[in-house]
Amino acid sequence: MNILYPIEWVVVWIMVQAHKLLSFVMDPDSGWTWLLSIVLLTVVVRIIIFPLFVKQIKSSRGMQIAAPELKAIQQKYKGKTDPESRQAMANETMQVYREHDANPVGSCLPVLIQMPIFFALFRVLFYKLPEAAQNNTNFGILTPELADSAHNARIFGGTTISDSFLSGDISAKIIAGVIIALMVLVTFLTQKELTMRNMPPSALEGPMASTQKMMLYMLPFIYVLSGPGMPIGVLGYWLTTNVWTFGQQWWMISKNPTPGSAAEKARHERINKKRAKQGLEPLDFTPKKSKRVQEMEAAKAENIRVQPKRYENGRKLSDEEMLQRAREKRAKAIEERRKKAAENGGGTQKGGSKSSNALGKKRKKK
């Protein structure tokens, strides 16, 4: 039994309905009418899965926001291999995911939903249309007359939507080649927008960044390998969904960019320029550090290591003097860190640190 049969039936139904709609203004037996029917099929599919795309973007953004906290948790349990620590680390990690509505596999949902539709359309164009036209049988609402029209309708020269780069004539090779080239270009621009413009600087360094840059050039190349064997109708679906993805992603990134990315910086500049024209003060978009990140930085501050000098004014210091100098420098470094944290934390914390310093001075006087 073909597990794609229900999806194939739905694909045929939407395509036939789109063909009926276009037939009011176009030639029903034209290949362009059937090709545009596939384009409308793509639009309908993308509208249906749009909520999944929004969820994908939010999940990806949540993962970016949660990254510093996840790093803090890893630092907290670094070197601890006992079962209790591992369980506590897993529980805190899942709590961070829930707090930021992040899902590591959320970005795969739109692709997983589209793959069955893609293969179902491939089977309809490659198998169902010729079978219905030659055997004079129906497939859902696809009558033999409609199947014959779709199978034999010409796009350009002798090219139909069922022809491919490998199986068609010179006109089919030209049309398929142009579509494949456009698919490569659109996919490259989409990946560049996602990996370069919508990523924070920290994500553009290290092994992961190298992998992303490699995917930027390798992913579009997949179409060069797989595209020539696909029917032109399937290539039309593929190109339409790639263009839709690019436009949809551009809109989402401009409205809801990843924190710390170039896209977010550009959005903040646009907002403040608009406020300046209205005579309003600019907004401060400085991100606030979470409690976990502050605790990690405080732990690092408490573990500052200072290498003492062995000589001072040409005189070699004793071990006790070196230890005293190291303690003084360490205390000074910790105090500077605390002052910076108080300044970043706002006026209340700043005032609190001043009052504590004043109390400390009074105690010393006493």
Side-chain angles (χ1 to χ4, degrees), residues 25-69:
V25 293
M26 300 179 68
D27 180 7
D29 295 324
S30 170
W32 289 104
T33 306
W34 284 105
L35 187 60
L36 287 177
S37 300
I38 295 174
V39 171
L40 288 181
L41 162 69
T42 312
V43 172
V44 170
V45 171
R46 294 309 302 257
I47 291 174
I48 292 173
I49 68 173
F50 181 75
L52 291 177
F53 179 81
V54 174
K55 189 174 182 180
Q56 170 196 4
I57 293 295
K58 288 183 177 179
S59 179
S60 178
R61 187 173 185 270
M63 288 296 296
Q64 293 291 337
I65 298 174
E69 297 190 34

mmCIF file of all heavy atoms in Angstrom, residues 25-69:
data_model
loop_
_atom_site.group_PDB
_atom_site.id
_atom_site.type_symbol
_atom_site.label_atom_id
_atom_site.label_comp_id
_atom_site.label_asym_id
_atom_site.label_seq_id
_atom_site.Cartn_x
_atom_site.Cartn_y
_atom_site.Cartn_z
ATOM 1 N N VAL A 25 -9.312 32.943 -16.811
ATOM 2 C CA VAL A 25 -8.549 34.012 -17.455
ATOM 3 C C VAL A 25 -7.433 33.472 -18.351
ATOM 4 O O VAL A 25 -6.772 34.246 -19.038
ATOM 5 C CB VAL A 25 -7.933 34.953 -16.391
ATOM 6 C CG1 VAL A 25 -9.024 35.713 -15.649
ATOM 7 C CG2 VAL A 25 -7.070 34.176 -15.402
ATOM 8 N N MET A 26 -7.211 32.158 -18.361
ATOM 9 C CA MET A 26 -6.133 31.570 -19.154
ATOM 10 C C MET A 26 -6.650 30.374 -19.941
ATOM 11 O O MET A 26 -7.752 29.866 -19.679
ATOM 12 C CB MET A 26 -4.959 31.139 -18.245
ATOM 13 C CG MET A 26 -4.332 32.274 -17.456
ATOM 14 S SD MET A 26 -2.974 31.704 -16.384
ATOM 15 C CE MET A 26 -1.749 31.243 -17.609
ATOM 16 N N ASP A 27 -5.863 29.935 -20.899
ATOM 17 C CA ASP A 27 -6.208 28.770 -21.698
ATOM 18 C C ASP A 27 -6.125 27.518 -20.822
ATOM 19 O O ASP A 27 -5.059 27.219 -20.262
ATOM 20 C CB ASP A 27 -5.247 28.646 -22.879
ATOM 21 C CG ASP A 27 -5.557 27.448 -23.768
ATOM 22 O OD1 ASP A 27 -6.599 26.792 -23.548
ATOM 23 O OD2 ASP A 27 -4.747 27.166 -24.675
ATOM 24 N N PRO A 28 -7.218 26.754 -20.670
ATOM 25 C CA PRO A 28 -7.203 25.574 -19.792
ATOM 26 C C PRO A 28 -6.167 24.529 -20.198
ATOM 27 O O PRO A 28 -5.677 23.778 -19.344
ATOM 28 C CB PRO A 28 -8.621 25.009 -19.908
ATOM 29 C CG PRO A 28 -9.447 26.150 -20.396
ATOM 30 C CD PRO A 28 -8.550 26.974 -21.252
ATOM 31 N N ASP A 29 -5.844 24.452 -21.489
ATOM 32 C CA ASP A 29 -4.908 23.432 -21.969
ATOM 33 C C ASP A 29 -3.483 23.951 -22.121
ATOM 34 O O ASP A 29 -2.628 23.269 -22.707
ATOM 35 C CB ASP A 29 -5.395 22.883 -23.321
ATOM 36 C CG ASP A 29 -6.711 22.135 -23.184
ATOM 37 O OD1 ASP A 29 -6.909 21.463 -22.145
ATOM 38 O OD2 ASP A 29 -7.554 22.228 -24.104
ATOM 39 N N SER A 30 -3.218 25.150 -21.592
ATOM 40 C CA SER A 30 -1.871 25.701 -21.676
ATOM 41 C C SER A 30 -0.998 25.125 -20.559
ATOM 42 O O SER A 30 -1.448 24.921 -19.414
ATOM 43 C CB SER A 30 -1.911 27.227 -21.559
ATOM 44 O OG SER A 30 -0.617 27.764 -21.400
ATOM 45 N N GLY A 31 0.262 24.891 -20.877
ATOM 46 C CA GLY A 31 1.186 24.402 -19.863
ATOM 47 C C GLY A 31 1.431 25.424 -18.768
ATOM 48 O O GLY A 31 1.667 25.060 -17.608
ATOM 49 N N TRP A 32 1.362 26.714 -19.132
ATOM 50 C CA TRP A 32 1.546 27.752 -18.132
ATOM 51 C C TRP A 32 0.399 27.756 -17.118
ATOM 52 O O TRP A 32 0.597 28.071 -15.940
ATOM 53 C CB TRP A 32 1.658 29.117 -18.800
ATOM 54 C CG TRP A 32 2.938 29.288 -19.541
ATOM 55 C CD1 TRP A 32 3.125 29.245 -20.895
ATOM 56 C CD2 TRP A 32 4.237 29.485 -18.967
ATOM 57 N NE1 TRP A 32 4.445 29.402 -21.214
ATOM 58 C CE2 TRP A 32 5.160 29.563 -20.046
ATOM 59 C CE3 TRP A 32 4.710 29.613 -17.673
ATOM 60 C CZ2 TRP A 32 6.518 29.759 -19.849
ATOM 61 C CZ3 TRP A 32 6.075 29.811 -17.471
ATOM 62 C CH2 TRP A 32 6.956 29.886 -18.546
ATOM 63 N N THR A 33 -0.813 27.418 -17.574
ATOM 64 C CA THR A 33 -1.950 27.337 -16.656
ATOM 65 C C THR A 33 -1.725 26.249 -15.619
ATOM 66 O O THR A 33 -1.957 26.447 -14.420
ATOM 67 C CB THR A 33 -3.253 27.055 -17.433
ATOM 68 O OG1 THR A 33 -3.408 28.030 -18.466
ATOM 69 C CG2 THR A 33 -4.465 27.104 -16.511
ATOM 70 N N TRP A 34 -1.249 25.093 -16.079
ATOM 71 C CA TRP A 34 -0.979 23.993 -15.150
ATOM 72 C C TRP A 34 0.222 24.297 -14.258
ATOM 73 O O TRP A 34 0.229 23.931 -13.068
ATOM 74 C CB TRP A 34 -0.756 22.694 -15.923
ATOM 75 C CG TRP A 34 -2.032 22.094 -16.429
ATOM 76 C CD1 TRP A 34 -2.492 22.108 -17.711
ATOM 77 C CD2 TRP A 34 -3.009 21.408 -15.650
ATOM 78 N NE1 TRP A 34 -3.712 21.473 -17.790
ATOM 79 C CE2 TRP A 34 -4.050 21.025 -16.532
ATOM 80 C CE3 TRP A 34 -3.126 21.067 -14.308
ATOM 81 C CZ2 TRP A 34 -5.175 20.323 -16.117
ATOM 82 C CZ3 TRP A 34 -4.238 20.368 -13.874
ATOM 83 C CH2 TRP A 34 -5.246 20.005 -14.769
ATOM 84 N N LEU A 35 1.232 24.965 -14.802
ATOM 85 C CA LEU A 35 2.394 25.318 -13.985
ATOM 86 C C LEU A 35 2.008 26.314 -12.895
ATOM 87 O O LEU A 35 2.440 26.188 -11.740
ATOM 88 C CB LEU A 35 3.495 25.905 -14.873
ATOM 89 C CG LEU A 35 4.844 26.171 -14.184
ATOM 90 C CD1 LEU A 35 5.434 24.885 -13.625
ATOM 91 C CD2 LEU A 35 5.820 26.822 -15.161
ATOM 92 N N LEU A 36 1.167 27.294 -13.243
ATOM 93 C CA LEU A 36 0.701 28.252 -12.238
ATOM 94 C C LEU A 36 -0.228 27.582 -11.233
ATOM 95 O O LEU A 36 -0.327 28.025 -10.078
ATOM 96 C CB LEU A 36 -0.008 29.421 -12.913
ATOM 97 C CG LEU A 36 0.906 30.405 -13.664
ATOM 98 C CD1 LEU A 36 0.086 31.484 -14.357
ATOM 99 C CD2 LEU A 36 1.908 31.045 -12.714
ATOM 100 N N SER A 37 -0.907 26.512 -11.651
ATOM 101 C CA SER A 37 -1.723 25.749 -10.699
ATOM 102 C C SER A 37 -0.844 25.140 -9.616
ATOM 103 O O SER A 37 -1.220 25.090 -8.434
ATOM 104 C CB SER A 37 -2.496 24.643 -11.429
ATOM 105 O OG SER A 37 -3.356 25.175 -12.410
ATOM 106 N N ILE A 38 0.334 24.673 -10.022
ATOM 107 C CA ILE A 38 1.285 24.123 -9.053
ATOM 108 C C ILE A 38 1.818 25.227 -8.146
ATOM 109 O O ILE A 38 2.035 25.021 -6.945
ATOM 110 C CB ILE A 38 2.431 23.400 -9.788
ATOM 111 C CG1 ILE A 38 1.885 22.185 -10.536
ATOM 112 C CG2 ILE A 38 3.526 22.975 -8.815
ATOM 113 C CD1 ILE A 38 2.899 21.489 -11.412
ATOM 114 N N VAL A 39 2.019 26.434 -8.709
ATOM 115 C CA VAL A 39 2.458 27.570 -7.901
ATOM 116 C C VAL A 39 1.413 27.901 -6.843
ATOM 117 O O VAL A 39 1.738 28.126 -5.666
ATOM 118 C CB VAL A 39 2.733 28.801 -8.786
ATOM 119 C CG1 VAL A 39 2.982 30.042 -7.935
ATOM 120 C CG2 VAL A 39 3.921 28.545 -9.707
ATOM 121 N N LEU A 40 0.126 27.917 -7.234
ATOM 122 C CA LEU A 40 -0.947 28.173 -6.271
ATOM 123 C C LEU A 40 -1.029 27.059 -5.236
ATOM 124 O O LEU A 40 -1.331 27.310 -4.062
ATOM 125 C CB LEU A 40 -2.282 28.313 -6.996
ATOM 126 C CG LEU A 40 -2.482 29.590 -7.816
ATOM 127 C CD1 LEU A 40 -3.858 29.599 -8.461
ATOM 128 C CD2 LEU A 40 -2.309 30.833 -6.939
ATOM 129 N N LEU A 41 -0.787 25.809 -5.668
ATOM 130 C CA LEU A 41 -0.724 24.700 -4.717
ATOM 131 C C LEU A 41 0.344 24.968 -3.664
ATOM 132 O O LEU A 41 0.115 24.751 -2.462
ATOM 133 C CB LEU A 41 -0.415 23.397 -5.474
ATOM 134 C CG LEU A 41 0.095 22.215 -4.648
ATOM 135 C CD1 LEU A 41 -1.018 21.685 -3.750
ATOM 136 C CD2 LEU A 41 0.621 21.102 -5.543
ATOM 137 N N THR A 42 1.503 25.449 -4.095
ATOM 138 C CA THR A 42 2.593 25.762 -3.165
ATOM 139 C C THR A 42 2.179 26.848 -2.182
ATOM 140 O O THR A 42 2.462 26.754 -0.975
ATOM 141 C CB THR A 42 3.836 26.219 -3.943
ATOM 142 O OG1 THR A 42 4.097 25.305 -5.006
ATOM 143 C CG2 THR A 42 5.037 26.300 -3.029
ATOM 144 N N VAL A 43 1.518 27.878 -2.689
ATOM 145 C CA VAL A 43 1.086 28.986 -1.828
ATOM 146 C C VAL A 43 0.113 28.487 -0.768
ATOM 147 O O VAL A 43 0.210 28.853 0.417
ATOM 148 C CB VAL A 43 0.455 30.107 -2.671
ATOM 149 C CG1 VAL A 43 -0.166 31.171 -1.773
ATOM 150 C CG2 VAL A 43 1.500 30.732 -3.596
ATOM 151 N N VAL A 44 -0.833 27.630 -1.179
ATOM 152 C CA VAL A 44 -1.808 27.083 -0.232
ATOM 153 C C VAL A 44 -1.100 26.276 0.859
ATOM 154 O O VAL A 44 -1.402 26.407 2.052
ATOM 155 C CB VAL A 44 -2.845 26.204 -0.966
ATOM 156 C CG1 VAL A 44 -3.718 25.445 0.037
ATOM 157 C CG2 VAL A 44 -3.714 27.061 -1.872
ATOM 158 N N VAL A 45 -0.132 25.447 0.452
ATOM 159 C CA VAL A 45 0.609 24.628 1.420
ATOM 160 C C VAL A 45 1.374 25.520 2.400
ATOM 161 O O VAL A 45 1.358 25.287 3.618
ATOM 162 C CB VAL A 45 1.578 23.671 0.692
ATOM 163 C CG1 VAL A 45 2.508 22.987 1.691
ATOM 164 C CG2 VAL A 45 0.806 22.624 -0.091
ATOM 165 N N ARG A 46 2.036 26.564 1.891
ATOM 166 C CA ARG A 46 2.819 27.432 2.768
ATOM 167 C C ARG A 46 1.937 28.231 3.715
ATOM 168 O O ARG A 46 2.338 28.525 4.847
ATOM 169 C CB ARG A 46 3.695 28.376 1.936
ATOM 170 C CG ARG A 46 4.786 27.693 1.133
ATOM 171 C CD ARG A 46 5.612 26.754 1.983
ATOM 172 N NE ARG A 46 6.231 27.421 3.096
ATOM 173 C CZ ARG A 46 7.510 27.767 3.130
ATOM 174 N NH1 ARG A 46 8.307 27.482 2.124
ATOM 175 N NH2 ARG A 46 8.013 28.370 4.200
ATOM 176 N N ILE A 47 0.738 28.609 3.260
ATOM 177 C CA ILE A 47 -0.187 29.303 4.165
ATOM 178 C C ILE A 47 -0.637 28.369 5.282
ATOM 179 O O ILE A 47 -0.745 28.767 6.453
ATOM 180 C CB ILE A 47 -1.397 29.848 3.383
ATOM 181 C CG1 ILE A 47 -0.954 30.991 2.463
ATOM 182 C CG2 ILE A 47 -2.491 30.332 4.331
ATOM 183 C CD1 ILE A 47 -2.055 31.498 1.545
ATOM 184 N N ILE A 48 -0.877 27.099 4.938
ATOM 185 C CA ILE A 48 -1.328 26.128 5.938
ATOM 186 C C ILE A 48 -0.264 25.906 7.006
ATOM 187 O O ILE A 48 -0.566 25.811 8.202
ATOM 188 C CB ILE A 48 -1.705 24.793 5.260
ATOM 189 C CG1 ILE A 48 -2.956 24.978 4.395
ATOM 190 C CG2 ILE A 48 -1.938 23.697 6.297
ATOM 191 C CD1 ILE A 48 -3.311 23.755 3.565
ATOM 192 N N ILE A 49 1.015 25.822 6.594
ATOM 193 C CA ILE A 49 2.080 25.537 7.556
ATOM 194 C C ILE A 49 2.724 26.811 8.110
ATOM 195 O O ILE A 49 3.733 26.728 8.806
ATOM 196 C CB ILE A 49 3.169 24.634 6.933
ATOM 197 C CG1 ILE A 49 3.931 25.397 5.833
ATOM 198 C CG2 ILE A 49 2.581 23.348 6.410
ATOM 199 C CD1 ILE A 49 5.133 24.627 5.297
ATOM 200 N N PHE A 50 2.139 27.982 7.828
ATOM 201 C CA PHE A 50 2.712 29.232 8.332
ATOM 202 C C PHE A 50 2.834 29.249 9.856
ATOM 203 O O PHE A 50 3.857 29.708 10.388
ATOM 204 C CB PHE A 50 1.886 30.432 7.856
ATOM 205 C CG PHE A 50 2.431 31.756 8.319
ATOM 206 C CD1 PHE A 50 3.551 32.297 7.734
ATOM 207 C CD2 PHE A 50 1.826 32.445 9.361
ATOM 208 C CE1 PHE A 50 4.069 33.510 8.164
ATOM 209 C CE2 PHE A 50 2.328 33.653 9.800
ATOM 210 C CZ PHE A 50 3.454 34.191 9.198
ATOM 211 N N PRO A 51 1.823 28.760 10.620
ATOM 212 C CA PRO A 51 1.993 28.731 12.088
ATOM 213 C C PRO A 51 3.221 27.925 12.522
ATOM 214 O O PRO A 51 3.874 28.271 13.504
ATOM 215 C CB PRO A 51 0.693 28.084 12.582
ATOM 216 C CG PRO A 51 -0.301 28.378 11.508
ATOM 217 C CD PRO A 51 0.473 28.326 10.225
ATOM 218 N N LEU A 52 3.523 26.853 11.786
ATOM 219 C CA LEU A 52 4.713 26.067 12.119
ATOM 220 C C LEU A 52 5.988 26.871 11.869
ATOM 221 O O LEU A 52 6.961 26.752 12.613
ATOM 222 C CB LEU A 52 4.740 24.768 11.299
ATOM 223 C CG LEU A 52 3.689 23.727 11.630
ATOM 224 C CD1 LEU A 52 3.815 22.538 10.687
ATOM 225 C CD2 LEU A 52 3.818 23.264 13.070
ATOM 226 N N PHE A 53 5.973 27.682 10.804
ATOM 227 C CA PHE A 53 7.138 28.513 10.518
ATOM 228 C C PHE A 53 7.343 29.549 11.621
ATOM 229 O O PHE A 53 8.485 29.790 12.044
ATOM 230 C CB PHE A 53 6.964 29.206 9.170
ATOM 231 C CG PHE A 53 8.105 30.108 8.796
ATOM 232 C CD1 PHE A 53 9.257 29.592 8.242
ATOM 233 C CD2 PHE A 53 8.022 31.476 9.016
ATOM 234 C CE1 PHE A 53 10.320 30.422 7.900
ATOM 235 C CE2 PHE A 53 9.070 32.314 8.685
ATOM 236 C CZ PHE A 53 10.228 31.774 8.117
ATOM 237 N N VAL A 54 6.247 30.158 12.092
ATOM 238 C CA VAL A 54 6.355 31.133 13.180
ATOM 239 C C VAL A 54 6.911 30.453 14.431
ATOM 240 O O VAL A 54 7.763 31.000 15.138
ATOM 241 C CB VAL A 54 4.977 31.766 13.467
ATOM 242 C CG1 VAL A 54 5.046 32.672 14.693
ATOM 243 C CG2 VAL A 54 4.497 32.564 12.259
ATOM 244 N N LYS A 55 6.432 29.244 14.691
ATOM 245 C CA LYS A 55 6.924 28.487 15.844
ATOM 246 C C LYS A 55 8.405 28.168 15.673
ATOM 247 O O LYS A 55 9.175 28.192 16.644
ATOM 248 C CB LYS A 55 6.121 27.196 16.007
ATOM 249 C CG LYS A 55 6.418 26.444 17.287
ATOM 250 C CD LYS A 55 5.489 25.266 17.461
ATOM 251 C CE LYS A 55 5.781 24.551 18.781
ATOM 252 N NZ LYS A 55 4.889 23.387 18.976
ATOM 253 N N GLN A 56 8.812 27.873 14.451
ATOM 254 C CA GLN A 56 10.225 27.585 14.172
ATOM 255 C C GLN A 56 11.092 28.807 14.479
ATOM 256 O O GLN A 56 12.135 28.684 15.129
ATOM 257 C CB GLN A 56 10.399 27.181 12.715
ATOM 258 C CG GLN A 56 11.857 27.087 12.276
ATOM 259 C CD GLN A 56 12.012 27.077 10.768
ATOM 260 O OE1 GLN A 56 11.036 27.205 10.043
ATOM 261 N NE2 GLN A 56 13.236 26.930 10.297
ATOM 262 N N ILE A 57 10.666 29.989 14.027
ATOM 263 C CA ILE A 57 11.430 31.214 14.254
ATOM 264 C C ILE A 57 11.505 31.528 15.755
ATOM 265 O O ILE A 57 12.569 31.865 16.290
ATOM 266 C CB ILE A 57 10.801 32.394 13.493
ATOM 267 C CG1 ILE A 57 10.932 32.182 11.989
ATOM 268 C CG2 ILE A 57 11.454 33.707 13.908
ATOM 269 C CD1 ILE A 57 12.354 32.183 11.472
ATOM 270 N N LYS A 58 10.371 31.390 16.452
ATOM 271 C CA LYS A 58 10.361 31.672 17.890
ATOM 272 C C LYS A 58 11.239 30.685 18.650
ATOM 273 O O LYS A 58 11.947 31.061 19.589
ATOM 274 C CB LYS A 58 8.925 31.621 18.420
ATOM 275 C CG LYS A 58 8.061 32.792 17.975
ATOM 276 C CD LYS A 58 6.682 32.715 18.581
ATOM 277 C CE LYS A 58 5.840 33.926 18.187
ATOM 278 N NZ LYS A 58 4.466 33.849 18.764
ATOM 279 N N SER A 59 11.185 29.424 18.240
ATOM 280 C CA SER A 59 12.012 28.412 18.895
ATOM 281 C C SER A 59 13.492 28.690 18.659
ATOM 282 O O SER A 59 14.309 28.588 19.579
ATOM 283 C CB SER A 59 11.656 27.016 18.367
ATOM 284 O OG SER A 59 12.456 26.032 18.959
ATOM 285 N N SER A 60 13.839 29.064 17.425
ATOM 286 C CA SER A 60 15.231 29.394 17.108
ATOM 287 C C SER A 60 15.692 30.615 17.895
ATOM 288 O O SER A 60 16.813 30.649 18.421
ATOM 289 C CB SER A 60 15.371 29.644 15.603
ATOM 290 O OG SER A 60 16.684 30.011 15.271
ATOM 291 N N ARG A 61 14.814 31.613 17.996
ATOM 292 C CA ARG A 61 15.158 32.821 18.757
ATOM 293 C C ARG A 61 15.301 32.482 20.242
ATOM 294 O O ARG A 61 16.196 32.988 20.922
ATOM 295 C CB ARG A 61 14.062 33.869 18.564
ATOM 296 C CG ARG A 61 14.380 35.225 19.174
ATOM 297 C CD ARG A 61 13.325 36.244 18.782
ATOM 298 N NE ARG A 61 13.671 37.573 19.246
ATOM 299 C CZ ARG A 61 13.325 38.071 20.418
ATOM 300 N NH1 ARG A 61 12.631 37.326 21.251
ATOM 301 N NH2 ARG A 61 13.663 39.301 20.781
ATOM 302 N N GLY A 62 14.427 31.613 20.751
ATOM 303 C CA GLY A 62 14.534 31.194 22.145
ATOM 304 C C GLY A 62 15.833 30.480 22.436
ATOM 305 O O GLY A 62 16.436 30.662 23.499
ATOM 306 N N MET A 63 16.300 29.680 21.471
ATOM 307 C CA MET A 63 17.573 28.981 21.635
ATOM 308 C C MET A 63 18.725 29.981 21.709
ATOM 309 O O MET A 63 19.671 29.798 22.482
ATOM 310 C CB MET A 63 17.790 28.007 20.479
ATOM 311 C CG MET A 63 16.895 26.778 20.521
ATOM 312 S SD MET A 63 17.210 25.729 21.950
ATOM 313 C CE MET A 63 18.891 25.219 21.632
ATOM 314 N N GLN A 64 18.661 31.049 20.910
ATOM 315 C CA GLN A 64 19.710 32.060 20.936
ATOM 316 C C GLN A 64 19.724 32.813 22.270
ATOM 317 O O GLN A 64 20.785 33.086 22.836
ATOM 318 C CB GLN A 64 19.523 33.053 19.789
ATOM 319 C CG GLN A 64 19.722 32.455 18.412
ATOM 320 C CD GLN A 64 21.167 32.090 18.164
ATOM 321 O OE1 GLN A 64 22.062 32.628 18.791
ATOM 322 N NE2 GLN A 64 21.393 31.163 17.250
ATOM 323 N N ILE A 65 18.531 33.148 22.783
ATOM 324 C CA ILE A 65 18.445 33.858 24.064
ATOM 325 C C ILE A 65 18.917 32.964 25.206
ATOM 326 O O ILE A 65 19.566 33.420 26.155
ATOM 327 C CB ILE A 65 16.998 34.334 24.309
ATOM 328 C CG1 ILE A 65 16.568 35.332 23.215
ATOM 329 C CG2 ILE A 65 16.860 34.971 25.678
ATOM 330 C CD1 ILE A 65 15.118 35.735 23.309
ATOM 331 N N ALA A 66 18.582 31.678 25.107
ATOM 332 C CA ALA A 66 18.921 30.744 26.185
ATOM 333 C C ALA A 66 20.382 30.324 26.167
ATOM 334 O O ALA A 66 20.863 29.740 27.148
ATOM 335 C CB ALA A 66 18.030 29.499 26.087
ATOM 336 N N ALA A 67 21.110 30.604 25.081
ATOM 337 C CA ALA A 67 22.493 30.137 24.945
ATOM 338 C C ALA A 67 23.389 30.553 26.113
ATOM 339 O O ALA A 67 24.122 29.714 26.656
ATOM 340 C CB ALA A 67 23.075 30.610 23.618
ATOM 341 N N PRO A 68 23.378 31.836 26.567
ATOM 342 C CA PRO A 68 24.245 32.196 27.701
ATOM 343 C C PRO A 68 23.890 31.439 28.979
ATOM 344 O O PRO A 68 24.778 31.053 29.741
ATOM 345 C CB PRO A 68 24.000 33.708 27.861
ATOM 346 C CG PRO A 68 23.495 34.162 26.533
ATOM 347 C CD PRO A 68 22.694 33.015 26.010
ATOM 348 N N GLU A 69 22.587 31.221 29.223
ATOM 349 C CA GLU A 69 22.172 30.499 30.420
ATOM 350 C C GLU A 69 22.564 29.025 30.341
ATOM 351 O O GLU A 69 22.966 28.422 31.338
ATOM 352 C CB GLU A 69 20.659 30.633 30.615
ATOM 353 C CG GLU A 69 20.214 32.065 30.855
ATOM 354 C CD GLU A 69 18.762 32.144 31.280
ATOM 355 O OE1 GLU A 69 18.309 31.229 31.984
ATOM 356 O OE2 GLU A 69 18.084 33.111 30.893
#
